[in-house]
Amino acid sequence: QVQLVESGGGLVQAGGSLRLSCSVSGNIFSMNAMGWYRQSPGNERELVAAITSGGSTDYGDFVEGRFTISRANVGNTVFLQMNGLRPEDTAVYYCNAWYPPWDIKVSIPRVDYWGEGTLVNVSS
């Protein structure tokens, strides 16, 4: 059974930094993508950042260079370094792992795994 274990959320003042981590427990296809989505009350879930096993990255437009996503060299662990946090970044952040990744063209249906979410609260 695949589980995603998240850590690193919390309360921070505007302008501060947080680092989120997410590790996959269990077996997942080696060619995959991992990333973070976020959702705040009344809003749809949106992509924050994602990275594939091949190193391709994608960011939400609102990131504006403030966040950096990276992967551990071994295993399926992803990190999200968030700098310059703003009150509007307050949301529950969900780790997502899926295959196939967008940088590999294969005709198989997408399979998604989700973490339970971690709260990021940015005070003004």
Side-chain angles (χ1 to χ4, degrees):
Q1 185 176 0
V2 176
Q3 290 185 318
L4 272 59
V5 180
E6 303 154 326
S7 63
L11 175 64
V12 65
Q13 290 188 331
S17 299
L18 283 174
R19 188 178 193 232
L20 305 183
S21 299
C22 175
S23 294
V24 175
S25 173
N27 293 321
I28 186 173
F29 194 60
S30 60
M31 291 184 290
N32 60 60
M34 295 185 67
W36 294 90
Y37 284 74
R38 72 182 189 184
Q39 188 168 22
S40 55
N43 294 314
E44 294 185 352
R45 191 172 294 192
E46 60 183 350
L47 173 71
V48 179
I51 185 168
T52 70
S53 49
S56 300
T57 58
D58 191 17
Y59 291 92
D61 291 340
F62 59 86
V63 170
E64 298 177 337
R66 299 178 296 135
F67 302 169
T68 302
I69 192 166
S70 60
R71 291 183 69 133
N73 291 330
V74 178
N76 293 302
T77 299
V78 64
F79 308 99
L80 182 66
Q81 179 66 43
M82 302 188 292
N83 300 326
L85 283 162
R86 305 165 180 166
E88 54 264 39
D89 293 318
T90 295
V92 177
Y93 284 67
Y94 296 92
C95 183
N96 180 210
W98 71 93
Y99 64 88
W102 68 85
D103 57 355
I104 293 179
K105 305 304 180 185
V106 294
S107 298
I108 60 174
R110 174 168 164 162
V111 177
D112 280 87
Y113 302 95
W114 289 93
E116 294 185 348
T118 184
L119 177 63
V120 171
N121 191 351
V122 185
S123 63
S124 57

